[in-house]
Amino acid sequence: RELDVDGAIPVQKFVPFREESRFGMGKCAVNWHRDSTLEPFSTIAVYHHTPLDRNALDWKIAMAVDEGSNQLTSPALAVPLRDGDCYFMLGNFNHHHIHSVIAGTSTRYASTHRVAVTAQSTWREISEYSKSLLNHLQSEPDLAKSIRKIGEGASCLEFGWIRQFYVQGGVHAKQHETYWAPRIQRLEKIWKRLNSYLQKSIQSLILGTTCNNKRAYNMAIYILESRIESRREWQKRYHDKQYQGLEKPFRPIIVPEVDVTTDVDFVGELRDKMANLF
């Protein structure tokens, strides 16, 4: 695959911060979010360092109560950070709050420390999981169960690994060409096999050559609709103006390239077939 990076690795020019849009707090270095893929109720620690201006107080950590509906239930609070500060989000804080980093004018370095979930989040875990998916292709007689396992597995590889790697651009891929790039390419090959199996299973349901099990049809529709939603979210992400402002070697590489309309058509055909069968 052409990564558009030859010779010396380029350096990305500074990209201006966007405005914090909810409360008018100024420039936003890290937008509102809650951390993910963590052990439940584990503490998050962040060390803050501004080496060029150790008296700076214009960097802030902002926080607000959010129970998951994206409807904030309290005003936001912003706390100034001094050079050398370390702040902690204790226990259930991350479950009930979102946070943001409001940018100052000085150079900032930050080190974040989390208790990460390792299941399917390390190479060893995802490698073993991928092998189990390939073994499953030949071993599961229940079509509904097979569609669910293979569909969820393919989505895990696509959205949790493959797109996450390539969205960081050609320079990132070049920097990791020795260790991570070949491993991600290995996951791509497995994803293609899983996707091929899933497509054949769905086509057999549409043709009515496999079974008239209503569970299998419903499961196929569920997997497809979940994938459609995720792929549309990724399309929005690729076209974010922040990415478009980057120089070409730093822009996202869209992998895998897929047409969402194919899945939309499959859903329609599956529903039509179900209407005839059931």
Side-chain angles (χ1 to χ4, degrees):
R1 180 177 291 109
E2 177 57 54
L3 298 179
D4 295 320
V5 179
D6 297 311
I9 293 176
V11 176
Q12 171 60 40
K13 295 178 182 178
F14 176 75
V15 177
F17 294 125
R18 67 179 72 186
E19 293 289 331
E20 190 283 309
S21 59
R22 294 191 177 188
F23 302 99
M25 291 182 170
K27 299 294 183 180
C28 185
V30 182
N31 209 350
W32 291 101
H33 70 288
R34 54 167 47 86
D35 288 12
S36 59
T37 321
L38 305 179
E39 290 291 344
F41 306 106
S42 57
T43 292
I44 302 161
V46 181
Y47 175 72
H48 168 84
H49 180 38
T50 50
L52 302 182
D53 187 354
R54 303 209 166 190
N55 295 316
L57 286 172
D58 49 359
W59 284 88
K60 301 179 181 70
I61 174 68
M63 62 209 82
V65 175
D66 177 19
E67 298 296 343
S69 62
N70 206 32
Q71 298 293 322
L72 302 186
T73 56
S74 72
L77 173 68
V79 179
L81 297 169
R82 296 179 181 274
D83 175 61
D85 278 351
C86 188
Y87 58 89
F88 299 85
M89 290 173 270
L90 302 172
N92 65 0
F93 181 94
N94 190 56
H95 289 257
H96 303 294
H97 299 76
I98 55 176
H99 60 281
S100 174
V101 178
I102 307 303
T105 56
S106 57
T107 299
R108 177 195 189 234
Y109 295 91
S111 175
T112 303
H113 304 263
R114 308 177 179 93
V115 184
V117 172
T118 59
Q120 299 179 13
S121 295
T122 66
W123 171 249
R124 183 175 66 180
E125 294 281 349
I126 197 63
S127 180
E128 291 300 318
Y129 177 59
S130 299
K131 291 175 184 176
S132 74
L133 291 172
L134 293 177
N135 292 334
H136 186 84
L137 292 178
Q138 308 297 330
S139 62
E140 178 55 70
D142 187 316
L143 185 59
K145 289 182 179 179
S146 183
I147 287 174
R148 177 171 184 171
K149 187 173 183 68
I150 298 305
E152 290 179 345
S155 291
C156 174
L157 297 186
E158 178 178 340
F159 305 117
W161 287 83
I162 299 169
R163 292 191 187 277
Q164 295 285 357
F165 180 78
Y166 287 110
V167 76
Q168 298 174 78
V171 169
H172 173 269
K174 183 73 173 177
Q175 290 172 327
H176 294 277
E177 64 182 352
T178 302
Y179 183 87
W180 275 115
R183 285 165 171 77
I184 295 299
Q185 289 162 8
R186 200 179 309 169
L187 295 183
E188 286 182 73
K189 291 179 180 178
I190 295 172
W191 174 84
K192 288 178 181 178
R193 288 184 61 184
L194 300 178
N195 202 50
S196 176
Y197 171 87
L198 190 61
Q199 185 166 333
K200 290 177 181 177
S201 298
I202 291 168
Q203 288 173 333
S204 68
L205 289 172
I206 292 170
L207 294 173
T209 58
T210 302
C211 74
N212 60 356
N213 185 334
K214 192 173 182 179
R215 285 177 53 249
Y217 284 87
N218 284 327
M219 184 54 64
I221 291 171
Y222 164 74
I223 290 296
L224 288 171
E225 289 184 333
S226 298
R227 190 164 73 174
I228 289 167
E229 182 180 358
S230 296
R231 285 176 174 174
R232 283 174 172 165
E233 286 299 316
W234 271 93
Q235 287 302 318
K236 291 179 184 177
R237 186 173 180 181
Y238 290 138
H239 292 94
D240 188 284
K241 64 181 181 181
Q242 292 294 105
Y243 279 136
Q244 300 309 309
L246 298 175
E247 296 174 46
K248 187 176 180 181
F250 297 90
R251 293 178 193 168
I253 303 170
I254 301 177
V255 177
E257 292 190 71
V258 292
D259 185 356
V260 176
T261 57
T262 301
D263 283 354
V264 174
D265 291 341
F266 276 155
V267 170
E269 292 179 69
L270 286 167
R271 292 194 186 279
D272 289 343
K273 190 67 177 182
M274 287 182 70
N276 293 329
L277 287 176
F278 308 108

